[in-house]
């Protein structure tokens, strides 16, 4: 079973219409892991971490959704205005932070 098929099962998605978005989240997680660990391929022991990171990326960035809402930053009563902060960017940037302890044993130090 491929990572795409596993991730679709984990997310509860049965149709193929979101395959590109799911594959994008997998590719992004792979890039994060390879860049952080300074390695060329994902070790088999990190496959579950890869899937979990991909799941977080897919959910946090709300891929495929047109309307994104976040935390309310301001409300104006006259003529009703409500502003939302886009928290998906912040969450995406911090997704790696949740997995550092699991990735650290695979990290290779890069010398300048």
């Amino acid at each position: 079973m491929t990572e795409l098929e596993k991730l679709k099962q984990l997310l509860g998605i049965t149709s193929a219409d979101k395959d590109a978005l799911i594959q994008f989240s997998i590719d992004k997680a792979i890039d994060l892991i390879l860049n952080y660990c300074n390695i060329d391929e994902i070790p088999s022991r990190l496959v579950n971490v890869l899937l979990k990171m991909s799941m977080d990326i897919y959910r946090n960035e709300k891929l495929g959704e047109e309307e994104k809402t976040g935390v309310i930053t301001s409300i104006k009563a006259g003529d009703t205005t409500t502003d939302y902060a886009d928290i998906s960017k912040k969450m995406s940037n911090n997704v790696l932070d949740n997995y550092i302890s699991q990735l650290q044993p695979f990290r290779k130090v890069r010398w300048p």
Side-chain angles (χ1 to χ4, degrees):
M1 187 181 294
T2 66
E3 280 87 11
L4 177 63
E5 293 167 339
K6 287 179 186 177
L7 189 55
K8 282 176 70 172
Q9 279 188 331
L10 291 170
L11 291 169
I13 297 172
T14 55
S15 65
D17 62 335
K18 295 189 179 187
D19 283 3
L21 298 172
I22 295 169
Q23 187 61 52
F24 174 78
S25 67
I26 292 170
D27 293 342
K28 187 170 181 178
I30 288 172
D31 288 345
L32 286 171
I33 292 170
L34 295 180
N35 289 333
Y36 178 78
C37 293
N38 300 316
I39 54 179
D40 294 325
E41 61 184 47
I42 303 291
S44 61
R45 290 179 30 209
L46 283 180
V47 171
N48 287 335
V49 174
L50 166 67
L51 291 172
K52 183 70 171 110
M53 282 180 77
S54 301
M55 218 163 53
D56 287 350
I57 290 168
Y58 182 83
R59 288 180 176 159
N60 291 342
E61 292 187 8
K62 299 178 183 170
L63 298 176
E65 294 181 19
E66 287 184 31
E67 186 177 321
K68 294 183 181 181
T69 58
V71 177
I72 296 175
T73 56
S74 68
I75 299 174
K76 182 180 176 185
D79 288 345
T80 312
T81 303
T82 306
D83 294 322
Y84 296 92
D86 186 9
I87 60 171
S88 64
K89 289 180 184 176
K90 183 178 178 183
M91 294 177 101
S92 174
N93 292 338
N94 294 330
V95 73
L96 184 63
D97 294 341
N98 297 331
Y99 298 94
I100 295 231
S101 63
Q102 293 169 300
L103 297 175
Q104 196 66 31
F106 297 91
R107 191 167 194 205
K108 293 181 180 178
V109 179
R110 187 183 312 176
W111 298 98

